[in-house]
Amino acid sequence: MNEPVLARLQQLMNLREEVETLGSARPWTPAADWIDGDSHLILLLDVPGVNLDTLALSEEDDTVTIQGERPAPDAALGRVLSAERSGGRFTRTLTFPEAVLPQSGEARLSAGVLTIQFEKRHPTIDATAQELADETES
């Protein structure tokens, strides 16, 4: 083959390699849910494969930031043939859906779910008209 054809073929191979690596280099963002627990706000964050010692939690004003790291597959296990599970460092900064008491967060990690409970500044009072009527009659 002549040089221009080889040069063009090399360019196409480089482009193919770049496209293939784009799919595997996506950043990982753990999914999060907020739950209203009347007197507490509960944050659930899916962090399977993340070691507890890599997790960090910080509060500032009306946001909470969670950082951590999920390791890449161990090369000692063998050659990776397919990689769908993203890994690496992550940072999630979430806004509290309601006001909480500063530094009231309590966290626990169980079965790959990080649960953080924050004490609400103004607890939700769930009283129905029937309950109020019963209390005034007694």
Side-chain angles (χ1 to χ4, degrees):
M1 283 194 215
N2 60 22
E3 292 236 358
V5 172
L6 287 175
R8 182 68 178 145
L9 186 57
Q10 184 62 45
Q11 288 176 337
L12 290 172
M13 290 178 67
N14 290 344
L15 180 61
R16 178 178 177 236
E17 192 173 300
E18 288 175 19
V19 168
E20 286 176 354
T21 59
L22 283 176
S24 64
R26 63 184 186 262
W28 176 53
T29 304
D33 294 329
W34 283 107
I35 309 293
D36 183 351
D38 293 334
S39 64
H40 291 83
L41 282 178
I42 302 165
L43 174 61
L44 304 174
L45 199 73
D46 289 343
V47 290
V50 174
N51 292 325
L52 184 60
D53 59 341
T54 68
L55 288 170
L57 171 73
S58 63
E59 289 180 50
E60 186 173 323
D61 299 326
D62 62 344
T63 64
V64 59
T65 300
I66 302 97
Q67 297 177 323
E69 184 172 2
R70 182 164 64 184
D74 188 358
L77 295 173
R79 184 171 54 99
V80 177
L81 301 175
S82 172
E84 294 181 1
R85 298 173 47 241
S86 298
R89 294 204 50 77
F90 72 87
T91 299
R92 287 288 317 254
T93 299
L94 303 161
T95 302
F96 291 111
E98 294 185 33
V100 298
L101 294 176
Q103 306 304 314
S104 66
E106 294 181 16
R108 71 178 187 278
L109 180 64
S110 177
V113 178
L114 178 63
T115 303
I116 311 168
Q117 183 171 292
F118 301 92
E119 191 173 341
K120 290 165 88 175
R121 186 175 300 274
H122 307 288
T124 304
I125 299 172
D126 188 17
T128 62
Q130 180 64 37
E131 290 173 351
L132 292 174
D134 291 344
E135 288 178 14
T136 57
E137 291 174 4
S138 8

